[in-house]
Amino acid sequence: MQRKKQRDREEGSQTILSEVTSLSNLVDSFSKFAQLPTPVFKACNPIELLQTVATLYEPNHPEIHWEVTSDPTCTFAKWDRDMIKRALINLIDNAVSVLHEYPPTQE
């Protein structure tokens, strides 16, 4: 009886290790497939980009006050516009989700 339990534990452990290895290989394969393109660094107006991204959200979230303020001397940055835009969209998506899940209290 004790040997059977030991054998069952070993088989269970081996099954788990096999699945972990399989999932690890799957994640590695997906990571190789889903690599981001090489950045293309060009001059870009960061304020204009922020305003463009905010404009995407304003019509769908009128309950949120959207305001882009900046340092007027910050007119250009050298970066990959599309990558930064994707990052900003991700950040704003997360912020909007949090605001909907935990709405601010009115004082």
Side-chain angles (χ1 to χ4, degrees):
M1 181 80 151
Q2 191 69 9
R3 285 186 180 182
K4 183 177 179 350
K5 286 183 181 180
Q6 180 65 25
R7 190 171 52 241
D8 288 347
R9 273 191 287 245
E10 288 174 4
E11 286 177 6
S13 295
Q14 190 57 44
T15 300
I16 291 170
L17 288 173
S18 176
E19 287 302 309
V20 167
T21 300
S22 177
L23 288 172
S24 179
N25 290 338
L26 178 66
V27 168
D28 288 345
S29 294
F30 182 75
S31 294
K32 290 175 186 171
F33 172 75
Q35 288 188 1
L36 293 172
T38 304
V40 178
F41 296 100
K42 293 182 183 176
C44 178
N45 184 323
I47 306 314
E48 183 182 291
L49 182 57
L50 282 167
Q51 288 170 333
T52 299
V53 173
T55 301
L56 296 172
Y57 288 86
E58 287 173 335
N60 296 320
H61 301 284
E63 72 283 3
I64 298 173
H65 174 74
W66 299 93
E67 182 178 345
V68 176
T69 59
S70 68
D71 178 349
T73 62
C74 181
T75 56
F76 283 94
K78 191 172 182 178
W79 54 22
D80 185 303
R81 185 180 193 281
D82 291 336
M83 285 185 169
I84 297 297
K85 184 177 179 183
R86 279 192 296 272
L88 289 170
I89 287 172
N90 188 32
L91 288 169
I92 292 173
D93 278 343
N94 291 341
V96 168
S97 293
V98 168
L99 282 173
H100 286 188
E101 191 170 337
Y102 303 100
T105 58
Q106 299 296 325
E107 294 183 25

